Coordinates of all heavy atoms in Angstrom, one line a residue:
L1 N 99.6 108.7 110.7 CA 98.9 107.7 110.0 C 98.8 106.4 110.5 O 98.2 105.5 110.1 CB 99.6 107.6 108.6 CG 99.4 108.9 107.8 CD1 100.2 108.7 106.4 CD2 98.1 109.3 107.4
D2 N 99.5 106.2 111.8 CA 99.5 104.9 112.5 C 98.2 104.7 113.3 O 98.2 104.8 114.5 CB 100.8 104.9 113.4 CG 101.0 103.5 113.9 OD1 100.3 102.6 113.7 OD2 101.8 103.3 114.8
H3 N 97.1 104.5 112.6 CA 95.9 104.1 113.1 C 95.0 103.2 112.2 O 95.3 103.1 111.0 CB 95.0 105.3 113.5 CG 94.9 106.3 112.5 ND1 93.9 106.1 111.5 CD2 95.5 107.5 112.1 CE1 93.8 107.1 110.7 NE2 94.8 107.9 111.0
E4 N 94.1 102.6 112.8 CA 93.2 101.6 112.1 C 92.5 102.1 110.9 O 92.3 101.5 109.9 CB 92.1 101.0 113.0 CG 92.7 99.9 113.8 CD 93.3 98.7 113.1 OE1 92.9 98.2 112.2 OE2 94.6 98.4 113.4
R5 N 92.2 103.5 111.0 CA 91.4 104.1 109.8 C 92.3 104.0 108.6 O 91.9 104.0 107.5 CB 91.0 105.5 110.1 CG 89.8 105.6 111.0 CD 89.2 107.0 111.1 NE 90.3 108.1 111.3 CZ 90.7 108.5 112.6 NH1 90.0 108.2 113.6 NH2 91.6 109.3 112.6
S6 N 93.7 104.1 108.6 CA 94.5 104.1 107.6 C 94.4 102.8 106.8 O 94.7 102.7 105.5 CB 95.9 104.3 108.0 OG 96.1 105.6 108.5
I7 N 94.0 101.7 107.5 CA 93.8 100.3 106.8 C 92.7 100.4 105.8 O 92.9 99.9 104.6 CB 93.7 99.3 107.7 CG1 94.8 99.2 108.7 CG2 93.5 98.0 107.1 CD1 96.2 99.0 108.1
S8 N 91.5 101.0 106.2 CA 90.5 101.1 105.2 C 90.8 102.1 104.1 O 90.5 101.9 102.9 CB 89.2 101.5 105.9 OG 89.2 102.7 106.4
R9 N 91.5 103.1 104.4 CA 92.1 104.0 103.3 C 92.9 103.4 102.4 O 92.9 103.6 101.1 CB 92.6 105.3 104.0 CG 91.6 106.0 104.7 CD 92.0 107.1 105.6 NE 90.9 107.9 106.2 CZ 91.2 108.7 107.4 NH1 92.3 108.8 107.8 NH2 90.1 109.2 107.9
A10 N 93.8 102.5 102.9 CA 94.7 101.8 102.1 C 94.1 100.8 101.2 O 94.4 100.6 100.1 CB 95.8 101.2 103.0
R11 N 93.0 100.2 101.7 CA 92.2 99.2 100.9 C 91.5 100.0 99.9 O 91.5 99.5 98.6 CB 91.3 98.4 101.7 CG 91.9 97.4 102.7 CD 90.9 96.7 103.5 NE 90.2 95.8 102.7 CZ 89.0 95.5 102.9 NH1 88.2 96.1 103.9 NH2 88.2 94.7 102.1
D12 N 91.0 101.2 100.2 CA 90.4 102.0 99.1 C 91.2 102.4 98.0 O 91.0 102.3 96.8 CB 89.7 103.2 99.6 CG 88.4 103.0 100.5 OD1 87.8 101.8 100.4 OD2 88.1 103.7 101.4
T13 N 92.5 102.7 98.4 CA 93.6 103.1 97.5 C 94.0 101.9 96.6 O 94.1 101.9 95.4 CB 94.8 103.7 98.1 OG1 94.4 104.8 98.9 CG2 95.8 104.0 97.1
C14 N 94.1 100.8 97.3 CA 94.4 99.6 96.5 C 93.4 99.2 95.5 O 93.8 98.8 94.3 CB 94.5 98.3 97.5 SG 94.8 96.8 96.8
Q15 N 92.1 99.4 95.9 CA 91.0 99.0 95.0 C 91.1 99.9 93.7 O 90.9 99.4 92.6 CB 89.7 99.3 95.6 CG 88.5 98.9 94.7 CD 87.2 99.0 95.5 OE1 87.0 99.7 96.4 NE2 86.2 98.3 95.0
Q16 N 91.4 101.1 93.9 CA 91.7 102.2 92.8 C 92.8 101.7 91.9 O 92.7 101.8 90.8 CB 91.8 103.5 93.3 CG 91.7 104.6 92.4 CD 91.7 106.0 93.0 OE1 92.1 106.3 94.1 NE2 91.4 106.9 92.2
I17 N 93.9 101.3 92.6 CA 95.0 100.9 91.8 C 94.7 99.7 91.0 O 94.9 99.6 89.8 CB 96.3 100.5 92.8 CG1 96.7 101.9 93.4 CG2 97.3 99.9 92.0 CD1 97.6 101.5 94.6
L18 N 94.1 98.7 91.6 CA 93.8 97.5 90.7 C 92.7 97.6 89.8 O 92.7 96.9 88.8 CB 93.2 96.3 91.9 CG 94.3 95.9 92.8 CD1 93.7 94.7 93.8 CD2 95.4 95.3 92.1
A19 N 91.8 98.7 89.9 CA 90.9 99.0 88.9 C 91.6 99.7 87.6 O 91.0 100.0 86.6 CB 89.8 99.9 89.5
G20 N 92.9 100.0 87.8 CA 93.6 100.6 86.6 C 93.4 102.1 86.6 O 93.5 102.6 85.4
G21 N 93.2 102.7 87.9 CA 92.9 104.1 87.8 C 94.2 104.9 87.4 O 95.3 104.5 87.4
D22 N 93.8 106.2 86.8 CA 94.9 107.0 86.3 C 95.8 107.4 87.4 O 95.4 107.6 88.5 CB 94.2 108.3 85.7 CG 95.2 109.3 85.3 OD1 96.0 109.1 84.4 OD2 95.2 110.4 86.0
E23 N 97.2 107.3 87.1 CA 98.2 107.4 88.3 C 98.0 108.8 89.0 O 97.9 108.9 90.2 CB 99.5 107.3 87.7 CG 100.6 107.3 88.7 CD 100.7 106.2 89.6 OE1 100.1 105.1 89.2 OE2 101.4 106.3 90.7
A24 N 97.6 109.8 88.3 CA 97.5 111.1 88.8 C 96.3 111.3 89.8 O 96.3 111.8 90.7 CB 97.4 112.2 87.7
K25 N 95.2 110.7 89.3 CA 94.1 110.4 90.0 C 94.1 109.6 91.2 O 93.7 109.9 92.3 CB 92.7 109.9 89.2 CG 91.5 109.8 89.8 CD 90.9 111.2 90.2 CE 89.6 111.0 90.9 NZ 89.2 112.2 91.5
V26 N 95.0 108.5 91.1 CA 95.2 107.7 92.4 C 96.0 108.4 93.4 O 95.6 108.4 94.6 CB 95.9 106.4 91.9 CG1 96.5 105.6 93.1 CG2 95.1 105.5 91.0
L27 N 96.9 109.1 92.9 CA 97.7 110.0 93.9 C 97.0 111.0 94.6 O 97.0 111.3 95.8 CB 99.0 110.6 93.1 CG 100.1 109.7 92.7 CD1 101.1 110.3 91.8 CD2 100.7 109.1 93.8
S28 N 96.1 111.7 93.8 CA 95.2 112.8 94.3 C 94.2 112.2 95.3 O 94.0 112.8 96.4 CB 94.5 113.5 93.1 OG 93.5 114.4 93.5
S29 N 93.7 111.1 94.9 CA 92.7 110.5 95.9 C 93.3 109.9 97.2 O 92.8 110.2 98.3 CB 92.0 109.2 95.2 OG 91.2 109.7 94.0
A30 N 94.6 109.4 97.0 CA 95.3 108.9 98.2 C 95.5 110.2 99.1 O 95.5 110.1 100.4 CB 96.6 108.2 97.8
R31 N 96.0 111.3 98.5 CA 96.2 112.5 99.3 C 95.0 112.9 100.1 O 95.1 113.2 101.2 CB 96.8 113.6 98.4 CG 97.2 114.8 99.3 CD 97.9 116.0 98.6 NE 98.3 117.0 99.7 CZ 98.2 118.2 99.3 NH1 98.0 118.6 98.0 NH2 98.5 119.0 100.2
Q32 N 93.8 112.9 99.4 CA 92.7 113.3 100.0 C 92.2 112.3 101.0 O 91.7 112.8 102.1 CB 91.5 113.5 99.0 CG 91.8 114.7 98.0 CD 90.8 114.6 96.9 OE1 89.9 113.9 96.8 NE2 91.0 115.7 96.0

């Protein structure tokens, strides 16, 4: 996971967290 693409994926995950996404959905999306 130590690569630049992980940064954009982390930003997408952050956006989902800040939007108040359901915890199970946030975890599932992060895994995907």
Side-chain angles (χ1 to χ4, degrees):
L1 295 175
D2 186 9
H3 56 77
E4 283 301 310
R5 285 189 313 261
S6 292
I7 302 303
S8 64
R9 292 172 182 163
R11 291 182 69 215
D12 291 341
T13 302
C14 174
Q15 183 177 25
Q16 190 176 15
I17 293 166
L18 294 179
D22 174 65
E23 186 71 17
K25 181 67 176 162
V26 171
L27 292 172
S28 172
S29 296
R31 181 169 185 216
Q32 292 172 5

